[in-house]
């Protein structure tokens, strides 16, 4: 008797007619049972020689690529590599991570901890048996610094030179490391509790008077905040051949895109896509939207507007034009008026877009008819 | 040459005669990859090796540790001060000298004797290249204990004790990990005043323990209990200093023996 998918061992004791089926048990060992349980193995481990070999191959391959592209192998940077790969292997795949990539192995292979003990079995780190050696040794060093600062404070007090007004570190514009960043730094997993404890200890270090002595140690665990420019960008005032001042600006609303040129002429004419605004916007509401920024700063008859707009419906186009006109006006208006325009909501782009339709519903919010039974 | 002998000696920590093969004692297996690369005469080295390991066992106080402390030093470090009568553990009664104003006084003569034995054992373990793990769950002295371990070149664990540390070591750390050969408890209680789990685990894994037992601790299961105070900073500094000096002495002696016999 043989199974279709593998070996069979038939444990059959008696060869009787009917009870044969009951007594003989087929122990079918299929090939599925021989295959390793891949999920239980965990993430793949790469040995040091393997990664070294990969680095050598990468460097040789980089030089080959430079020769293929006809460029100098010595000054071939990572951007050149990316450009060359995109040229030689064009890919239309949407997932960026599925496209062909050639990067240094240190960036591709995840960082792993090497074997922690020597030939004689003695671990290298004195806190190996705690399990989280990097984190606990960091806590130990930080606490050691706290104690050292306290001792220094006491010695200054004994000499009578203790002052509270010492040089303070500048901590503005920087933030503490995130938990993920700390894990990456230590190459170890830590819990939320550990992370909180670490931050508490650092805050305690910073609360001491002479903490400026440990500045470089603390700065290792701080990251600069990204500078967020929340200032309005005022478009520059340009002058055309006749000496007339004008400014250009763009605005968007839903799918409509508008770009305008605001001329400081004297007439109050508005042209959109070559047509007069009365013809382009027959609805009063749209014309009101167009007038609002000029009416707000009382410069209705002063400017000429030449606009081009595409996309969206009539309301979206009107909204896009309104935003573009407000932005262009910034270059002709004082700072106080700019602030009042901002508070009126003229300078804020409207973030509302069409909500997507969900499966199992008729529309974005509309559900199918609910039936009780 | 001296380094080679050192490696061989460390590999055959438990059984001095066997050299080079994969040894398996107490469930720890350590195979010496370096042994395969050493073709030099094993018989001569084995004899020298045996002598290095057996000479300290001939005398009772080979490392002269009785010079390190006296009963007066223990008294000045307030080692004799125990807890109040209400905290007394029943099994600590043989070690107590008496009680004064409800405070238990530990018998320093017994302490000196026990401490001498404990330090002697630690010295022998360090001499044979064993791993010593310092354990203490007192937050006050965690930094001191860790610093002591760093200065000796040994290991410390003054943090949260994960359950499978000793009993589930190959799974937690990786196969082929070497467990400590001696665990020194500078305080046998944990933060909730219960016996530290490490004592029970070490007994399960056949690892000898040295423990400073105060009058509220349970001295059973500790191989070399040392009745003494574990709450005062002076006493803890004394213990740390003594342990550091014994381990350093033993290691220096070992290096000197290797250089002498190696010639």
């Amino acid at each position: 008797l043989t199974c279709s998918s593998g070996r069979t061992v038939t444990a059959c004791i008696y060869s009787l007619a009917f009870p044969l089926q009951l007594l003989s048990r087929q122990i079918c060992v299929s090939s599925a049972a021989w295959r390793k349980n891949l999920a239980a193995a965990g993430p793949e481990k790469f040995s040091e020689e393997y990664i070294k070999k990969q680095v050598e191959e990468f460097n040789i391959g980089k030089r080959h690529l430079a020769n293929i592209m006809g460029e100098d192998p010595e000054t071939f940077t990572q951007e050149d590599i990316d450009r060359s790969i995109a040229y030689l292997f064009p890919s239309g795949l949407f997932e960026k991570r599925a496209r062909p990539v050639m990067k240094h192995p240190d960036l591709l292979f995840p960082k792993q901890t090497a074997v922690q003990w020597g030939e004689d079995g003695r671990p290298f780190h004195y806190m190996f048996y705690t399990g989280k050696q990097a984190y606990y040794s960091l806590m130990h060093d930080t606490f050691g610094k706290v104690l050292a600062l306290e001792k220094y404070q006491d010695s200054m007090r004994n000499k009578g030179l203790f002052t509270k007004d010492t040089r303070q570190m500048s901590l503005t514009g920087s933030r503490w490391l995130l938990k993920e960043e700390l894990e990456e730094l230590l190459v170890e997993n830590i819990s939320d509790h550990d992370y909180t404890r670490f931050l508490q200890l650092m805050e305690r270090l910073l609360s001491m008077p002479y903490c400026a002595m440990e500045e470089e140690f603390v700065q290792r665990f701080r990251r600069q905040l990204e500078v967020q420019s929340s200032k309005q960008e005022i478009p520059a005032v340009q002058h055309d051949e006749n000496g007339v001042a004008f400014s250009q600006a763009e605005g968007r609303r839903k799918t409509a895109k508008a770009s305008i040129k605001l001329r400081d002429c004297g007439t109050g004419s508005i042209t959109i896509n070559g047509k007069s605004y009365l013809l382009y916007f027959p609805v009063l509401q749209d014309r009101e939207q167009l007038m609002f920024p000029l009416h707000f700063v009382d410069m209705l008859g002063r400017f000429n507007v030449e606009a081009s707009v595409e996309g969206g419906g009539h309301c979206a186009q009107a909204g896009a034009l309104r935003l573009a006109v407000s932005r262009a006006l910034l270059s002709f208006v004082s700072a106080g008026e700019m602030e009042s325009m901002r508070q009126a909501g003229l300078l804020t782009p409207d973030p509302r877009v069409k909500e997507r339709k969900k499966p199992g519903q008729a529309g974005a919010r509309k559900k199918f008819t609910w039936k009780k039974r | 040459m001296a380094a080679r002998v050192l490696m061989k000696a460390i590999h055959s920590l438990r059984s001095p005669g066997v050299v080079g093969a994969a040894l398996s004692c107490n469930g720890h297996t350590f195979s010496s990859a370096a042994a395969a690369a050493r073709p030099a005469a094993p018989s001569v080295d084995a004899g020298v090796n045996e002598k290095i390991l057996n000479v300290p066992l001939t005398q009772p106080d080979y490392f002269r540790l009785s010079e390190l402390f006296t009963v007066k030093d223990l008294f000045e470090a307030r080692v004799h001060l125990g807890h109040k009568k209400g905290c007394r553990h029943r099994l600590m009664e043989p070690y107590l000298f008496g009680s004064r104003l409800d405070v238990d006084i530990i018998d320093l003569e017994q302490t000196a004797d026990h401490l001498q034995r404990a330090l002697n054992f630690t010295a022998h373990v360090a001499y044979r290249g064993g791993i010593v793990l310092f354990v203490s769950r007192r937050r006050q002295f965690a930094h001191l204990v860790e610093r002591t371990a760093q200065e000796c070149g040994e290991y410390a664990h003054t943090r949260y004790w994960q359950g499978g540390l000793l009993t589930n070591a190959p799974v937690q750390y990786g196969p082929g990990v070497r467990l400590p050969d001696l665990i020194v408890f500078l305080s046998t209680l944990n933060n909730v005043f219960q016996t530290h789990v490490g004592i029970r685990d070490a007994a399960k894994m056949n690892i000898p323990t040295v423990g400073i037992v105060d009058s509220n601790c349970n001295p059973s299961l500790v191989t070399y209990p040392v009745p003494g105070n574990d709450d005062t900073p002076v006493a803890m500094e004394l213990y740390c200093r003594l342990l550091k000096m014994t381990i350093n002495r033993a290691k220096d002696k070992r290096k000197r023996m290797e250089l002498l016999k190696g010639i």
Side-chain angles (χ1 to χ4, degrees), chain A residues 14 22 33 65 74 143 158 202 224 229 236 252 285 311 355 360:
Chain A
Y14 305 105
L22 296 176
L65 189 62
E74 305 299 329
F143 189 67
N158 286 342
M202 295 304 270
Q224 290 301 116
S229 52
R252 270 196 279 190
Q285 188 188 350
E355 199 175 315

Side-chain angles (χ1 to χ4, degrees), chain A residues 120 122-123 126 129-130 140, chain B residues 130 146 154-157 173 178:
Chain A
D120 55 351
R122 284 186 80 104
Y126 74 105
Y129 289 106
T130 54
H140 173 83
Chain B
E146 284 172 350
E154 299 295 342
Y155 306 85
H157 186 105
Y173 298 118
R178 184 173 156 187

Side-chain angles (χ1 to χ4, degrees), chain A residues 210-227:
Chain A
Y210 290 100
C211 62
M213 287 171 34
E214 304 297 341
E215 184 165 353
E216 41 160 309
F217 176 75
V218 174
Q219 288 295 351
R220 248 194 283 162
F221 301 103
R222 286 197 81 98
R223 296 279 176 268
Q224 290 301 116
L225 282 167
E226 296 85 32
V227 177

Side-chain angles (χ1 to χ4, degrees), chain B residues 39-102:
Chain B
S43 54
V44 172
D45 279 342
V48 165
N49 206 27
E50 268 201 61
K51 233 194 273 182
I52 290 179
L53 290 173
N54 290 341
V55 157
L57 301 174
T58 50
Q59 295 156 36
D61 194 12
Y62 183 74
F63 300 100
R64 294 198 306 271
L65 299 165
S66 40
E67 325 172 327
L68 287 178
F69 65 96
T70 57
V71 171
K72 190 158 193 311
D73 290 336
L74 296 179
F75 179 79
E76 267 151 25
R78 310 184 199 179
V79 165
H80 58 288
L81 298 170
H83 289 271
K84 290 271 199 178
K85 190 175 75 180
C87 299
R88 194 194 300 168
H89 194 100
R90 210 192 125 114
L91 296 170
M92 285 300 288
E93 277 162 17
Y95 300 119
L96 296 180
F97 186 74
S99 85
R100 162 85 174 150
L101 296 171
D102 265 5

Side-chain angles (χ1 to χ4, degrees), chain A residues 84-259:
Chain A
S84 322
I85 296 288
Y87 171 71
L88 291 168
F89 302 100
S91 159
L93 294 172
F94 288 114
E95 176 64 57
K96 298 275 198 291
R97 288 180 291 184
R99 295 185 183 179
V101 77
M102 183 166 159
K103 279 209 168 91
H104 193 85
D106 283 343
L107 300 167
L108 291 174
F109 290 97
K111 268 202 265 193
Q112 284 157 4
T113 47
V115 174
Q116 308 278 7
W117 52 84
E119 270 181 7
D120 55 351
R122 284 186 80 104
F124 296 129
H125 202 278
Y126 74 105
M127 287 230 213
F128 168 74
Y129 289 106
T130 54
K132 297 187 233 180
Q133 61 188 47
Y135 168 74
Y136 284 134
S137 77
L138 172 64
M139 296 293 275
H140 173 83
D141 294 336
T142 318
F143 189 67
K145 293 203 190 297
V146 169
L147 290 179
L149 279 185
E150 277 177 4
K151 227 167 89 163
Y152 181 73
Q153 243 179 50
D154 290 339
S155 75
M156 294 298 267
R157 247 186 260 259
N158 286 342
K159 287 188 221 165
L161 299 167
F162 178 71
T163 44
K164 276 239 170 92
D165 50 332
T166 45
R167 181 179 70 90
Q168 295 294 321
M169 314 200 308
S170 66
L171 296 168
T172 52
S174 59
R175 56 165 175 87
W176 286 118
L177 274 185
L178 293 173
K179 182 172 162 240
E180 289 77 21
E181 288 168 356
L182 187 61
E183 281 184 349
E184 209 188 340
L185 190 75
L186 299 174
V187 195
E188 225 173 44
N189 291 332
I190 51 176
S191 71
D192 290 332
H193 178 77
D194 295 334
Y195 177 65
T196 330
R197 283 290 207 191
F198 170 68
L199 287 187
Q200 280 171 357
L201 190 56
M202 295 304 270
E203 290 294 332
R204 184 174 160 185
L205 180 65
L206 288 178
S207 70
M208 310 187 76
Y210 290 100
C211 62
M213 287 171 34
E214 304 297 341
E215 184 165 353
E216 41 160 309
F217 176 75
V218 174
Q219 288 295 351
R220 248 194 283 162
F221 301 103
R222 286 197 81 98
R223 296 279 176 268
Q224 290 301 116
L225 282 167
E226 296 85 32
V227 177
Q228 281 161 356
S229 52
S230 52
K231 287 217 182 114
Q232 294 285 347
E233 276 180 13
I234 306 171
V237 179
Q238 296 153 59
H239 295 267
D240 65 3
E241 319 85 45
N242 302 335
V244 176
F246 73 95
S247 67
Q248 286 177 303
E250 286 175 359
R252 270 196 279 190
R253 169 96 213 274
K254 276 189 176 180
T255 19
K257 288 204 236 298
S259 79

Side-chain angles (χ1 to χ4, degrees), chain A residues 122, chain B residues 63 123 125-130 132 149 151-155 245-258:
Chain A
R122 284 186 80 104
Chain B
F63 300 100
V125 168
Y127 179 86
R128 295 162 106 83
V132 182
E151 282 158 11
C152 302
E154 299 295 342
Y155 306 85
M245 278 158 72
T246 40
I247 293 178
N248 285 337
R249 241 189 221 201
K251 287 186 173 171
D252 291 336
K253 193 80 195 183
R254 179 57 184 253
K255 285 203 190 85
R256 265 183 278 142
M257 286 291 267
E258 247 126 44

Side-chain angles (χ1 to χ4, degrees), chain B residues 148-209:
Chain B
T148 314
Q150 238 179 341
E151 282 158 11
C152 302
E154 299 295 342
Y155 306 85
H157 186 105
T158 55
R159 309 284 172 164
Y160 177 73
W161 181 277
Q162 283 172 320
L165 216 141
L166 294 177
T167 43
N168 202 18
V171 166
Q172 280 200 339
Y173 298 118
V177 69
R178 184 173 156 187
L179 288 180
D181 300 303
L182 171 67
I183 304 187
V184 179
F185 286 92
L186 284 129
S187 161
T188 48
L189 298 181
N190 60 16
N191 285 353
V192 270
F193 301 104
Q194 290 165 344
T195 322
H196 200 285
V197 178
I199 296 178
R200 190 202 67 191
D201 282 353
K204 278 190 187 174
M205 302 301 291
N206 288 344
I207 300 173
T209 40

